[in-house]
Amino acid sequence: MTPRTASLAAAIAAASPSYAERIESAAWDTLAAIDVQEIITNDSYQVRKVFPSAIKDGVAQFDITGFVVPLGGTTNVRDLMLVSDMGFCPFCGSPEHGTSLQVSLSAPLPVITEGMRLTLRGSLEPVTDDQTWQSAIMVNAQIIDG
């Protein structure tokens, strides 16, 4: 990359930081390792999930950093989605759209904005419902940075 190209890339990232950032971490890798398969027959629908051994029984203390996607309002928020990459759609229900995590906070946040970066700690629970693509949820989460 030439210096001019690097400067242009930096300018683009600075102009829209929430869409230029991606977080790579062991926590996101663990969530991405959940194998989700949709099984459709003539008369049934099922989503089969295979969890990595590290999280199949849940995790009492799970730390993760990501970007906020509001689930509705942006004031006094207790429930939100967290994504590792703002370019992903957390509501598309397909692994091609990236990993997302639903979060239930232990105390409401007065205000959130889409794309704000948070580091959270909470209990990670597997979602075993065979009618949804959702594979994990974090409950009793607390902000440890952000």
Side-chain angles (χ1 to χ4, degrees), residues 32-119:
I34 300 170
D35 181 29
V36 180
Q37 298 175 9
E38 185 176 48
I39 302 163
I40 302 171
T41 67
N42 287 338
D43 58 353
S44 71
Y45 175 83
Q46 179 184 21
V47 179
R48 185 175 301 148
K49 302 166 199 168
V50 178
F51 297 91
S53 60
I55 63 171
K56 72 177 183 171
D57 296 321
V59 179
Q61 182 177 312
F62 190 79
D63 294 0
I64 192 164
T65 300
F67 302 103
V68 170
V69 176
L71 286 174
T74 58
T75 58
N76 295 317
V77 175
R78 277 195 180 266
D79 296 301
L80 55 94
M81 295 296 289
L82 204 64
V83 296
S84 64
D85 184 326
M86 283 303 295
F88 289 147
C89 171
F91 306 112
C92 294
S94 173
E96 294 91 42
H97 295 287
T99 304
S100 60
L101 180 64
Q102 183 177 343
V103 176
S104 178
L105 298 168
S106 62
L109 276 173
V111 176
I112 63 168
T113 57
E114 184 169 355
M116 88 189 264
R117 183 181 174 126
L118 291 177
T119 300

